[in-house]
């Protein structure tokens, strides 16, 4: 590098001669060579800065130049004084994020000794002192010692290396490969992990073949990819899995029809997902609603007991007008994800097709296996049917779309075994059930009743069902179930009202059951 004397400047005490400066520069060449043995482009250091790509700003020369891109991490980073009477006083080189890069600073120049990283942006700031009567060609400030200072800051970016864009498929069969797509061609790849790698034609893809294939196994790998320019990037992690991992289940059968509006939408995951929130975010639930149809039947007459007309509760179960609604996702357990509609009544719209889609293929579980297939299932709701059980009056009311369909006396749990109040739904239907006490067969209240007709469970062991062993409806008689009159298997009262049969044909899985009041 040729050190210049600015036009009109004179040598004076404290300033070195060109000959002396050249000697210092030769010394710096030796120092720089020692500091950059890890790899430069063959430049001789500060003496060669003018022959490298550079930027000149006032009294300072920088290499690499301002806003340079694709700089090799092996290239030297240097700053030199352009004039013989200019002296570097401070130089900082930092990577975006705050990491400082070490270097050697003399009065004539700076050369970085620390290593640069690929795919990074660096900022260099240099300050030079100049005699007070000098002009640097850029803005300068006078120092307390009577000298001018010139400070220059700019950045440059190192070489960009190939990055992983996608991995497809993430679940592979025996002998198959997971294909890694890169954002730019690669020259070479090194893999650390239970897989072998093969670079595809043109270098834009990498085929990963599992080693030690077994169903459901996970294959985490770390890849170091080298660009076409020969620059190797930082390790990148990815993984894929073998087929045979967990599958998803739902609380309904695909295509179920005429289900109740309180039907649960629960997805069973088989194993706990590695990231539950991300797993839930891969699901969508939609509702295709059919236009509401008014009830075709004439409302039934309310029940009259001892000359008193029982209240009609059905108006409170009318169908709200819903056009759009949100769906909330809640983890009931590490392997059970529930979706509930945020509608005015908390139910799915009636006469609608509810569809759930989970694009979870390739998502991983906590033990490292992967889900092998997406989920796409649906069910349809019928009319809004609600069963209202009033413990106080021992009355059951069947409501359809907010209109009374039927009302009759029932027998709920006796005091001490009261039917639980709350909002439930029918979760199991058995036309001919066996009901057996959980107590020991020697307990005073032990029972084992076979052939209980038209049984519809709504809360734990509590059910709506026919009772042929008594005819005292309108009074508490049970261990917690709702007893309903039936002629089925009823040899004592063969003419009993077929209310249990009616309710069986009226209801379906998912119909709401509302129990309220106080046992008399």
């Amino acid at each position: 590098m040729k050190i210049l004397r600015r036009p009109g400047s004179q040598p004076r005490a404290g300033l070195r001669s060109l000959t002396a400066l050249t000697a210092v520069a030769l010394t710096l060449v030796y120092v720089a060579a020692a500091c950059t043995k890890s790899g430069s482009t063959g430049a001789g250091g500060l003496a060669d800065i003018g022959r490298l790509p550079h930027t000149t700003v006032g009294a300072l020369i920088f290499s690499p130049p301002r806003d340079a891109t694709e700089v090799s991490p092996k290239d030297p980073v240097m700053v030199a004084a352009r004039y013989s009477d200019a002296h570097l006083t401070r130089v900082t080189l930092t990577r975006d994020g705050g990491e400082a890069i070490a270097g050697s600073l003399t009065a004539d120049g700076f050369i970085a000794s620390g290593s640069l990283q690929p795919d990074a942006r660096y900022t260099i700031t240099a300050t030079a002192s100049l005699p007070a009567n000098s002009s640097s060609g850029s803005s300068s400030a006078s120092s307390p010692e009577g000298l001018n200072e010139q400070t220059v800051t700019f950045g440059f970016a190192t070489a960009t290396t190939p990055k992983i864009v996608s991995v497809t498929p993430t679940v592979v069969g025996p002998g198959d490969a997971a294909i890694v797509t890169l954002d730019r061609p690669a020259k070479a790849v090194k893999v650390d992990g239970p897989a072998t790698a093969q670079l595809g034609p043109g270098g834009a893809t990498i085929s990963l073949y599992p080693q030690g294939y077994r169903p459901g196994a996970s294959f985490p790998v770390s890849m170091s990819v080298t660009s076409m320019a020969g620059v190797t990037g930082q390790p990148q992690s990815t993984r894929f899995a073998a087929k045979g991992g967990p599958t998803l289940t739902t609380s309904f059968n695909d295509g179920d029809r005429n289900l109740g509006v309180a039907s649960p939408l629960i997805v069973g995951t088989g194993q706990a997902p590695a990231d539950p929130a991300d797993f839930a975010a891969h699901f969508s639930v939609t509702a295709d609603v059919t236009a509401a149809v008014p009830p075709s039947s004439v409302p039934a007459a309310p029940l009259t007991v001892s000359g008193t007309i029982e209240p009609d509760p059905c108006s409170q179960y009318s169908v709200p007008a819903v056009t759009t609604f949100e769906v909330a996702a809640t983890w009931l357990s590490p392997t059970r994800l529930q979706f509930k509609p945020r509608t005015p009544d908390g139910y799915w719209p009636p006469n609608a097709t509810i569809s759930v889609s989970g694009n979870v293929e390739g998502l991983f579980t906590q033990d490292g296996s992967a889900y092998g297939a997406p989920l796409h299932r649906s069910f349809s709701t019928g009319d809004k049917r609600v069963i209202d059980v009033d413990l106080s009056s021992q009355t059951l009311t069947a409501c359809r779309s907010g209109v009374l369909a039927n009302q009759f006396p029932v027998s709920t749990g006796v005091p001490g075994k009261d039917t639980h109040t709350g909002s439930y739904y029918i979760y199991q239907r058995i036309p001919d059930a066996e009901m057996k006490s959980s107590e020991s067969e020697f307990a005073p209240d032990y029972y084992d009743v076979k052939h209980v007709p038209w049984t519809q469970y709504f809360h734990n062991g509590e059910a709506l069902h026919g009772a042929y062993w008594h005819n005292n409806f309108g009074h508490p008689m049970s261990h917690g179930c709702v007893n309903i009159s039936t002629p089925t298997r009823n040899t004592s009262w063969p003419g009993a009202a077929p209310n249990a049969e009616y309710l069986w044909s009226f209801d379906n899985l998912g119909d709401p059951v509302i129990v309220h009041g106080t046992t008399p």
Side-chain angles (χ1 to χ4, degrees), residues 53-354:
H54 65 275
T55 292
T56 300
V57 182
L60 298 174
I61 305 175
F62 297 84
S63 180
R66 182 195 300 269
D67 297 329
T69 59
E70 300 300 322
V71 175
S72 171
K74 297 180 180 180
D75 286 351
V77 179
M78 298 182 290
V79 185
R82 184 182 178 195
Y83 302 116
S84 61
D85 56 355
H87 307 277
L88 281 172
T89 58
R90 293 185 304 275
V91 177
T92 60
L93 175 61
T94 57
R95 186 173 69 177
D96 283 6
E99 179 189 4
I101 308 302
S104 175
L105 173 66
T106 69
D108 303 296
F110 166 89
I111 185 165
S113 58
S115 300
L116 302 185
Q117 300 294 333
D119 306 296
R121 182 166 180 82
Y122 290 86
T123 299
I124 188 166
T125 300
T127 299
S129 65
L130 305 155
N133 61 352
S134 68
S135 174
S136 66
S138 64
S139 60
S140 60
S142 179
S143 69
E145 292 78 16
L147 300 177
N148 287 336
E149 283 192 344
Q150 178 193 7
T151 299
V152 178
T153 298
F154 66 77
F156 63 91
T158 51
T160 305
T161 59
K163 303 294 185 303
I164 297 174
V165 175
S166 63
V167 180
T168 54
T170 52
V171 181
V172 300
D176 294 335
I179 307 300
V180 178
T181 300
L182 304 174
D183 63 354
R184 64 196 64 215
K187 182 178 182 180
V189 59
K190 179 182 177 182
V191 172
D192 182 18
T196 57
Q198 179 178 331
L199 203 60
T205 60
I206 301 170
S207 297
L208 295 176
Y209 292 91
Q211 290 182 321
Y213 185 97
R214 68 182 188 278
S218 178
F219 300 92
V221 297
S222 176
M223 300 193 305
S224 298
V225 186
T226 302
S227 70
M228 299 300 288
V231 178
T232 301
Q234 296 296 312
Q236 302 176 69
S237 297
T238 188
R239 61 178 175 175
F240 60 101
K243 291 182 177 180
T247 57
L248 303 182
T249 58
T250 55
S251 54
F252 59 90
N253 296 315
D254 189 29
D256 276 352
R257 302 178 61 82
N258 197 36
L259 295 184
V261 294
S263 292
L265 201 170
I266 300 173
V267 175
T269 64
Q271 297 182 28
D275 187 337
D278 180 66
F279 184 89
H282 280 74
F283 281 80
S284 64
V285 179
T286 60
D288 183 7
V289 183
T290 304
V293 178
S296 57
S297 58
V298 177
L303 180 67
T304 300
V305 179
S306 302
T308 301
I309 298 178
E310 292 295 321
D312 176 2
C314 293
S315 59
Q316 63 183 307
Y317 305 126
S318 60
V319 179
V322 175
T323 53
T324 60
F325 61 91
E326 296 181 350
V327 176
T330 304
W331 286 98
L332 303 178
S333 74
T335 59
R336 297 171 68 234
L337 177 61
Q338 182 178 39
F339 296 92
K340 295 189 71 174
R342 289 179 173 171
T343 52
D345 58 3
Y347 299 136
W348 300 110
N351 302 301
T353 298
I354 313 300

Side-chain angles (χ1 to χ4, degrees), residues 446-514:
Y446 175 79
Y447 62 89
D448 182 1
V449 182
K450 296 177 173 58
H451 306 298
V452 179
W454 319 121
T455 301
Q456 303 185 78
Y457 287 96
F458 62 87
H459 174 60
N460 294 334
E462 297 176 352
L464 311 167
H465 63 76
Y468 53 79
W469 47 88
H470 76 85
N471 195 32
N472 195 28
F473 300 101
H475 304 278
M477 292 289 292
S478 79
H479 288 80
C481 288
V482 179
N483 287 184
I484 306 169
S485 66
T486 176
T488 301
R489 294 187 175 275
N490 196 337
T491 58
S492 299
W493 300 276
N499 293 333
E501 286 80 357
Y502 169 85
L503 202 61
W504 180 268
S505 63
F506 178 85
D507 278 330
N508 204 354
L509 293 171
D511 280 347
V513 177
I514 313 298

